[in-house]
Amino acid sequence: MLTFIRKRSMASLISLVGLVVLVFFLSRLTGDPTDLYLPIDASDEMRAQFRELYGLDDPLIVQFGRYVGNLVQLDFGESIRKARPAIDVVLEAFVWTLQLALITMALVTVAAVVVGSLAAFRVGGFFDRVSGILSLVAASAPDFWIAIVAIVVFAVGLGWLPTSGTGTVWHWILPIAVLFIRPFGLIVQVVRGSMISTLSSAYVKTARAKGVRTRSIIFVHALRNAMLPVITVIGDQAASLLNGAVVIETIFGFPGVGKLMIDSILQRDFTVVLASIIVTALAIFVMNLLIDLAYAALDPRIRH
Amino acid sequence: MADHLLEVRNLSVEFHTAGGVVKAVKNVSWHVERGETLAILGESGSGKSVSTSAILDLIDMPPGRITSGEIRFDGRDLLKLGSAERRDINGRRIAMIFQDPLSHLNPVYTVGWQIVETMTAHGLPRSKAQSEALRLVTRVGIPNPSDALRKYPHEFSGGQRQRLMIAMALAMKPDVLIADEPTTALDVTVQAEVLALLKELQRETGMGVVIITHDLGVVAEIADRVVVMNAGEIVEAGIAREVYHNPRHPYTRKLIGAAPGKGEMHDPLPRAEPVLKVRGVAKTYGTFKALDGVGFDLMAGETLAIVGESGSGKSTLARILLRLDEPDAGEALWKGRDLFRLSPAELFALRRDLQMVFQDPTQSLNPRMTVFQLITEAWIIHPEILPKAQWRTRVADLLAQVGLRPEHANRYPHQFSGGQRQRIAIARALALEPELIICDEAVSALDVSVQAQVIELLNKLRREMGIAFIFIAHDLPVVRDFADHVMVMQKGRVVEYGTVQQVFDAPRQPYTQALLAAGLDPDPDVQAARRAERLERRPA
């Protein structure tokens, strides 16, 4: 168990290092932050001073060495834009994204598992057809468009919900609802497919021959086996939410890591971009670990 | 008319499939009494398990439909009961065990949980069910029963899993036990133990047993009466002994005639210089010794059977001889050259001399290639064998040789029956004009009558083309009819080697004797005699 986590951590560390190198140099290609932060008519002297202050005057490789040197001491550098430690800025935003992602995925999982299981129980039945059409529409819906329509209808037109920002419970409803749709549609289909094959499996036949109740056959015998492929997809979808749903967060003015990242890229706030990527990468690593553990918890055959 | 314990009357079931309506069983009637064992005998596709599925409400409707008949139990027609009443009977009054207990036990729950569930599903309190589960697991002979309850199905051997299935089925002391091919996937010695356990438990509880099987030996060993099914109909029914000795229907006669193990045994070939000399082959996986000092000689045109139970190393040996796996030690001299020391290029050139036919043609034939592509693939790899212009005619020849027709070349594997697919696999092996074909359980998955045809085909190839065979099998009667020499393996070692007559008529080693004794003879009288003998030998 511990060796497993250690092995996994080592492998992830290598990809993290690669990621940091790539992002560090690629982000430098977008240009010099000096041009954005100083007025157009700033003197060459002021520019040089600014560069010196943020260490932008050294050769790239020296900047990188300094960055890595600080990073191993857990110093992620200063945000140029906010004039605060970059890691503070990122963690603040990450907490918002984490909450949004967890609530959304919890709702998606429960809803998709119930709907997908019931659809699989009577393949071709009324419920299966309705949920089949709905999940297909949901899985292929363009979420940015739905987000805008939802704001127009529920916030502007009906005035039931706030358009954007945070503050009350009501502010959460539209972003969660919009983010819900696509993973829901996708996972319903995965659950349905997986449940159809487990419901036709031999051990379900045994359970029927034993006189086990239908409810227990679906939710005890079949579901636990059917969850294995489903968990992989849930993890994949959760990862994309943890990355920050850039478009949705931007539309709803939600102060999450996705919005922070896009703002920081546009503002060439390199330290924040790098810190965001490291934090989300770590979060995704932790989540993948949880998925592996969930696999082992569900299936005794992979417990060693 | 007196009531039977369980009676199926004029049952007809059809399935609506994409290819049209399939009548699975037509007007099937049978019954079973308390304390009696009825066998339903038939080959694959005969509909032998359909009527029992109907009894337990296991037929999915749609696509299935019961078009006529009734199932009488307790003075009621089961088919007229609601699903809650049917569920109440399932597992409590009528229980079932299946072939392949690994896939029929839920892999993610402990066996204890699954046995307890049979009882709690029928209203027993959990604590009582748990102590009963312990008693049952002890009764069916699982070592360390209280630990066993906490283990998962994959942690047991095949025979133990079937014992656990039996424990689960008998938890509510049912009146009828239905056993669908309960020993088909098991080794012969394990099969004998499981059948003996079933008989014992039947004596204790007085339940009626319905056993579904394709194996005349199982019928001979366990059944009082038998119904023979073919193409969805009962062609013959009666006392098992009488049906065996005086079969009235031509199909029954054909089935009994096809049972292997009654033909002339081969005379040993005159000794000659062996083409293949295998010495001291060893292979270890982790700490598991799969092969340990295995050696034998094979002459040109000779058939060597390698027999043994699962885990004996017989398939590993085949894979190693073909270099599909590498040995840890030993040598295999093919016409003086050591197969294990050939370079990849030398091995490539030599591969065409050595071919293999696998157990399951469904898996060993690529489903997306036509028969023509499957056979000619070998010539693409070894272009020196045949110019492309002659491929068509040669494929037609090969198909004719294995009893198929030239027009079959454009079809895909799924369009053939299991026996035909195995012929395709043999035709593919023949395409390279090999001198040795290794058959790994090549006829084990086939129905008896089909098995006989494939063996006949292999015999013909041997006579006409002088091909040598290494024939790996767990089924002794088939070996008896086909082999020149027999090598018996156990736990990676050779325990006995001799001519087929020596091994079958005068086995020297206790393991070989046990293996032969555990095999089931299709004759009920022979089996009865063997049972009596076993009973005598057993210490009082």
Side-chain angles (χ1 to χ4, degrees), chain B residues 279-295:
Chain B
R279 292 290 178 271
V281 178
K283 176 77 186 174
T284 313
Y285 295 103
T287 57
F288 176 69
K289 268 195 177 167
L291 290 175
D292 187 6
V294 173

Side-chain angles (χ1 to χ4, degrees), chain B residues 351-358 365 374-375 378-379 385 394 398 402 422-439 458 461 465 467 469:
Chain B
R351 273 258 153 82
R352 55 170 293 194
D353 289 346
L354 315 169
Q355 286 296 303
M356 182 141 176
V357 176
F358 296 90
L365 298 174
L374 284 165
I375 293 175
W379 299 327
I385 297 178
R394 180 75 181 122
L398 283 167
V402 297
Q422 200 58 298
R423 287 164 193 266
I424 296 168
I426 293 169
R428 178 172 65 171
L430 292 177
L432 288 171
E433 296 154 15
E435 291 177 56
L436 169 65
I437 296 181
I438 299 182
C439 298
L458 294 177
L461 296 174
M465 306 171 72
I467 299 173
F469 284 93

Side-chain angles (χ1 to χ4, degrees), chain B residues 116 119-133 172:
Chain B
V116 165
M119 294 176 267
T120 52
H122 293 286
L124 241 69
R126 181 161 294 274
S127 57
K128 195 160 175 251
Q130 265 155 353
S131 58
E132 180 63 10
M172 296 301 290

Side-chain angles (χ1 to χ4, degrees), chain B residues 362-380:
Chain B
T362 318
Q363 286 178 28
S364 63
L365 298 174
N366 187 334
R368 285 179 185 77
M369 289 167 81
T370 63
V371 170
F372 183 80
Q373 288 167 328
L374 284 165
I375 293 175
T376 55
E377 194 185 21
W379 299 327
I380 298 173

Side-chain angles (χ1 to χ4, degrees), chain B residues 164-233:
Chain B
L164 291 164
M165 281 285 281
I166 292 171
M168 191 164 86
L170 297 187
M172 296 301 290
K173 305 192 175 62
D175 301 286
V176 180
L177 177 70
I178 298 168
D180 189 352
E181 299 268 13
T183 57
T184 304
L186 305 177
D187 281 328
V188 275
T189 52
V190 182
Q191 159 168 294
E193 289 164 17
V194 169
L195 290 178
L197 174 68
L198 275 178
K199 265 191 120 78
E200 267 174 52
L201 291 168
Q202 182 181 30
R203 255 197 307 278
E204 284 170 24
T205 61
M207 63 188 173
V209 172
V210 180
I211 190 162
I212 299 160
T213 184
H214 71 281
D215 187 345
L216 282 165
V218 170
V219 176
E221 170 68 10
I222 197 170
D224 301 307
R225 284 187 304 115
V226 60
V227 297
V228 183
M229 290 198 64
N230 181 31
E233 287 175 288

